[in-house]
Amino acid sequence: MSNTQSSSNFIRNIVIDDLNSGKHEKIITRFPPEPNGYLHIGHAKSIVLNFELADEFKGKTNLRFDDTNPVKEDTEYVESIKEDVNWLGFNWDNLFFASNYFDTMYEKAILLIKKGLAYVCDLTPEDIKAYRGTLTEPGKESPYRNRSVEENLSLFEKMKNGEFEDGSKVLRAKIDMSSPNINMRDPIIYRISHTKHHNTGSKWCVYPMYDFAHPLEDAIEGITHSICTLEFEDHRPLYDWVVENCEMSSTPRQIEFARLNITNTVMSKRKLKMLVDEGVVDGWDDPRMPTIAGLRRRGYTPESIRNFCREIGVAKASSTVDSQMLEHFIREDLNTKAPRAMAVINPLKLVITNYPEGQSEVLEVENNPNDETAGKRTITFSRELYIEREDFMENPPKKYYRFFPGNEVRLMGAYFVKCTDVIKDKDGNVVEIHGTYDVETKSGSGFTGRKVKSTIHWVDANNSLPCEFRLYEPLILDSESEENKHFLEQINPNSLTVTQGFIETNIKNSRGNDKFQLVRNGYFNIDPVYSDDNKLIFNRIVSLKSSFKIK
Ligand code: ATP
Ligand code: MG
C-alpha cells in the first residue's frame, strides 16, 4: 500500500534518529491485541501507526495475539481481529501468538529465580495489595521474600505442576518495595490459573502477567519500537528491568502515545462487550458500535478510517476527538465514490391529477452533479409518486418553501408541481396530497418563465422498490455534565430509527455493502447481514451535511 503518513510525529522522529545513528538497520513494530473482544477505532489508530511506520522505513510489522490471560480470550476474537486488520488494508509480516512463548517465559522466570530476582509468595491477594503501600508510603516486604533459591525453584515447579490452587501462590519479581514507582514494588510475574487456554489447552496452569510477558514477547520477536498507550508509561522501568534481567538478546524500546477517545461513544473492549452482553446493541458489528466490524457494516470505508487516523495524529497528550471528525472523512471519501440514487425514507403519496393515468415517461438525471464523468441514469415519472413526508406541511412556518397548499416546487430532474389538495383520513392525518404539473417546465428544457424556491426528490410509486432504512444517532448521550454516571445509564434511547420507504429501481442488482448517496438523505450502505432477495436494508452512514469544519 502506498504510504501517506507524511505528517511528522514524535515517534516517527525517534525512528528516523535510530536509523540515522545506526542503532537499527531495520525497524520492526507490532500490533499486539489481546483477543478478548473485537477491535475498535482506537485500535485502528495503533494499527495505522505501527504498520505505516514500518512501511515507510521498509521495516516489518507483526500481528501478535497477546493471549496470556486464558479467562477472557476466545478464537472468535482471533478470527475477527485478523479480518479487521486485513480489511483496514494491512498485511502483517508475521503472525504470532504470545502463548507460543510460554516455554521461554517459564525458563526466564526460572532464570530470575536462580539470580535471586524472583520468589514465590504465599500472601493472599488482599495482603499483597495492602503490603504494596501507596504513592506516599513505601511498601512492606513480604515475609516470603527471602526464601532460598532452592525453595523457590521447587515451589515454582510445583505451581507449574498443578499442586496449588488458584490464588494460593504467585511468583514475584524481587525489585524494591520502597521504590517511588509502585510498579517496581515486587510485581507479580506469574499466577496460578487452572483454566483451559484457547491455544495451549490444559498444558499450563501458571500464566505470566502482562508486565512480565509483554517485554519478553517484544524482545523475542526483535521488536525495535514497542508502541503502546500512555497508561503504560509508569510501567516502562519494569519493562526495561525484565528485558535486562532476563538477558534478552534484543532490546526493544517502549514508546507511549495518547489513546484515542471519541465523543458520544465508549472505547474499551470491556465496555463494548457489556453493550453486547446486555443486549443494548445487536452484536459486536451493530452499526452503532465503534468497532471496526460495526463501522464496516455501517458503511465506513477503510480509506476513510485510515485518513481519520492520519489526521488525528500521534501525540503524548490525551484528548477526545469529536465524532463529527470521523463523519467528515467518510463524506469526503464517498462524495467522489458513491453513486447517487433517489429514495424516499418517510413516504407520502403525491398524485399528479393532470398527468394521464397509465402514462409513464423516462427522464435522465445526473449521477453526480459534482462529477461530469459519472454520467447519467434514467428514472421514470408517472401520475403517482412518493415524496418525503417532511417536504409537505399543511400550515408551514415562514421560509418553508417546499410543498404546502398552493405552493409550487420543482421535482428533481422532472417538472414543477403545484400542490392543490390535501387528503386526510378520518382522524385528520394527511394520507396523500394532490398536485398539478406544468409540462413546459421539464428539467433541461431551458424554461425560464418563473422560478420556484425549492427542489425536492421523489420516486415513481409505480416503479420503485420497497426497502427499509435504518437511521442512527450516537449510542451514548453527551455526558459532560454527568461524568460520574455509569455509561450504561447514558445510553441514547433513540440511537436507532427504522423506517419503511421506497427507492428507484436502478439499485435492484445491488448487494450488501454497496454504498450510495441517497439524494438529500445522506450516504447509505446496504446492510450485509439483514438484507435479502426480498428486501434491501439501508444503513445510514451519515447525513449529507455537518457544521463541523476540519482545521
Ligand atoms: P481495551 O481497553 O479496549 O481492551 P487494550 O489497550 O486493552 O484496549 P489491547 O488489545 O491490549 O487493548 O490493545 C492492542 C493495542 O491497541 C495496544 O497496543 C493498545 O495500546 C492499542 N490501543 C487500544 N486502545 C486504543 C486506543 N483507544 N487508542 C489507541 N490505541 C489503542
Ligand atoms: Mg486490554
Side-chain angles (χ1 to χ4, degrees):
M1 178 191 321
S2 79
N3 194 287
T4 12
Q5 190 173 297
S6 51
S7 67
S8 98
N9 69 59
F10 79 98
I11 300 180
R12 187 169 172 270
N13 293 339
I14 292 174
V15 167
I16 292 172
D17 285 349
D18 287 349
L19 290 169
N20 287 345
S21 73
K23 182 177 176 191
H24 300 295
E25 243 168 63
K26 207 175 173 139
I27 67 158
I28 308 182
T29 61
R30 86 288 177 262
F31 174 63
E34 185 180 358
N36 61 349
Y38 281 58
L39 297 183
H40 51 63
I41 180 82
H43 292 111
K45 178 178 178 182
S46 172
I47 292 169
V48 170
L49 175 62
N50 279 291
F51 279 90
E52 293 198 340
L53 204 53
D55 207 26
E56 181 179 358
F57 298 102
K58 308 218 166 3
K60 289 184 175 178
T61 305
N62 296 341
L63 173 61
R64 180 205 310 147
F65 288 101
D66 202 339
D67 56 349
T68 55
N69 179 2
V71 180
K72 294 182 287 176
E73 294 159 4
D74 198 283
T75 45
E76 177 197 345
Y77 301 137
V78 170
E79 292 312 313
S80 77
I81 289 169
K82 288 199 263 186
E83 182 186 353
D84 290 350
V85 173
N86 280 151
W87 180 80
L88 281 171
F90 300 103
N91 298 300
W92 46 87
D93 291 283
N94 296 291
L95 176 70
F96 292 126
F97 287 85
S99 54
N100 287 344
Y101 311 141
F102 280 164
D103 286 306
T104 308
M105 292 172 182
Y106 182 75
E107 284 163 23
K108 292 297 176 184
I110 289 177
L111 175 66
L112 290 182
I113 295 174
K114 287 184 175 161
K115 292 166 85 172
L117 293 174
Y119 61 96
V120 173
C121 182
D122 300 1
L123 286 179
T124 62
E126 297 74 38
D127 280 342
I128 289 182
K129 211 171 161 198
Y131 278 47
R132 194 177 293 140
T134 64
L135 282 174
T136 49
E137 292 162 56
K140 208 164 81 181
E141 294 192 352
S142 160
Y144 306 98
R145 197 172 198 265
N146 295 316
R147 277 179 163 153
S148 70
V149 169
E150 289 66 38
E151 191 182 3
N152 281 319
L153 284 174
S154 143
L155 286 172
F156 189 49
E157 181 161 17
K158 287 182 179 158
M159 278 170 66
K160 184 195 92 166
N161 291 340
E163 295 184 28
F164 305 119
E165 280 172 29
D166 290 9
S168 61
K169 285 185 170 45
V170 291
L171 185 71
R172 299 175 69 174
K174 191 172 180 176
I175 308 180
D176 179 3
M177 287 308 290
S178 58
S179 169
N181 183 339
I182 295 184
N183 295 302
M184 301 298 274
R185 295 182 188 168
D186 291 9
I188 300 172
I189 59 175
Y190 257 95
R191 70 195 188 289
I192 303 172
S193 177
H194 292 268
T195 311
K196 216 171 155 199
H197 187 279
H198 79 97
N199 185 28
T200 58
S202 36
K203 177 175 177 196
W204 296 91
C205 64
V206 287
Y207 292 95
M209 301 298 285
Y210 180 90
D211 280 337
F212 179 64
H214 206 85
L216 295 180
E217 295 159 20
D218 287 340
I220 290 168
E221 293 176 16
I223 302 299
T224 53
H225 300 83
S226 171
I227 302 167
C228 65
T229 43
L230 225 46
E231 68 273 21
F232 290 102
E233 195 167 23
D234 289 346
H235 298 238
R236 195 186 334 133
L238 177 54
Y239 181 100
D240 293 339
W241 185 95
V242 170
V243 171
E244 187 187 336
N245 290 291
C246 290
E247 301 172 15
M248 303 306 289
S249 55
S250 101
T251 309
R253 171 171 176 185
Q254 176 180 304
I255 306 168
E256 309 86 14
F257 73 109
R259 66 170 48 232
L260 170 65
N261 294 304
I262 298 187
T263 55
N264 298 100
T265 191
V266 287
M267 195 90 81
S268 101
K269 282 177 276 174
R270 189 181 57 81
K271 289 182 180 172
L272 295 172
K273 187 169 190 305
M274 278 169 85
L275 293 173
V276 174
D277 292 346
E278 301 281 320
V280 175
V281 295
D282 173 36
W284 286 96
D285 66 346
D286 185 298
R288 291 166 292 181
M289 292 280 268
T291 52
I292 303 302
L295 291 167
R296 174 168 61 233
R297 193 170 151 200
R298 176 83 166 254
Y300 276 83
T301 57
E303 293 79 1
S304 66
I305 297 176
R306 290 198 302 264
N307 287 337
F308 168 76
C309 291
R310 291 170 190 146
E311 175 65 29
I312 54 175
V314 178
K316 269 274 185 196
S318 293
S319 68
T320 300
V321 173
D322 196 310
S323 57
Q324 294 191 46
M325 189 155 154
L326 187 56
E327 297 182 348
H328 166 88
F329 282 98
I330 188 64
R331 282 192 195 96
E332 187 183 72
D333 193 29
L334 291 183
N335 184 34
T336 52
K337 286 184 191 163
R340 270 54 174 173
M342 289 210 280
V344 169
I345 286 181
N346 282 307
L348 174 64
K349 190 170 266 183
L350 164 64
V351 179
I352 317 275
T353 51
N354 63 341
Y355 197 89
E357 252 175 275
Q359 184 175 312
S360 162
E361 65 188 284
V362 175
L363 301 171
E364 270 199 330
V365 286
E366 268 178 301
N367 276 332
N368 185 349
N370 302 326
D371 176 9
E372 279 178 24
T373 64
K376 292 183 172 177
R377 68 185 191 285
T378 58
I379 51 173
T380 62
F381 183 86
S382 71
R383 184 182 159 91
E384 297 196 350
L385 312 171
Y386 290 114
I387 61 163
E388 295 289 348
R389 224 160 236 286
E390 43 170 71
D391 286 336
F392 169 79
M393 279 185 98
E394 194 173 11
N395 299 300
K398 265 196 171 160
K399 298 202 172 161
Y400 185 89
Y401 299 122
R402 293 171 271 166
F403 274 123
F404 55 85
N407 195 41
E408 190 175 44
V409 307
R410 173 173 286 291
L411 293 184
M412 199 174 280
Y415 299 95
F416 285 8
V417 172
K418 181 188 255 177
C419 176
T420 53
D421 288 289
V422 184
I423 316 297
K424 297 181 185 174
D425 65 12
K426 63 179 189 325
D427 299 321
N429 301 310
V430 176
V431 290
E432 193 173 295
I433 62 170
H434 289 179
T436 51
Y437 86 119
D438 178 353
V439 71
E440 303 290 317
T441 59
K442 186 168 177 175
S443 279
S445 70
F447 175 79
T448 54
R450 61 187 183 280
K451 284 187 170 153
V452 290
K453 281 202 165 134
S454 139
T455 300
I456 68 167
H457 67 280
W458 52 277
V459 296
D460 184 350
N462 297 306
N463 184 31
S464 58
L465 298 174
C467 54
E468 181 171 311
F469 298 96
R470 299 189 176 189
L471 312 179
Y472 301 102
E473 294 282 331
L475 197 51
I476 306 288
L477 294 167
D478 206 344
S479 56
E480 291 197 71
S481 57
E482 298 176 279
E483 269 180 9
N484 296 324
K485 252 189 165 175
H486 191 270
F487 78 98
L488 285 178
E489 290 171 32
Q490 296 175 38
I491 303 292
N492 178 0
N494 303 314
S495 61
L496 169 64
T497 307
V498 179
T499 75
Q500 308 299 326
F502 298 92
I503 191 164
E504 62 181 65
T505 52
N506 288 313
I507 61 95
K508 66 176 180 292
N509 295 321
S510 304
R511 284 180 282 165
N513 286 327
D514 285 350
K515 297 166 190 31
F516 298 90
Q517 185 192 99
L518 300 185
V519 179
R520 293 177 68 224
N521 277 319
Y523 291 102
F524 286 76
N525 186 44
I526 297 183
D527 190 284
V529 180
Y530 286 129
S531 299
D532 60 30
D533 291 345
N534 298 318
K535 193 171 197 181
L536 291 177
I537 293 176
F538 287 82
N539 292 323
R540 179 150 72 186
I541 313 168
V542 272
S543 57
L544 289 181
K545 284 202 194 79
S546 152
S547 51
F548 185 76
K549 287 269 180 303
I550 197 156
K551 62 176 185 297

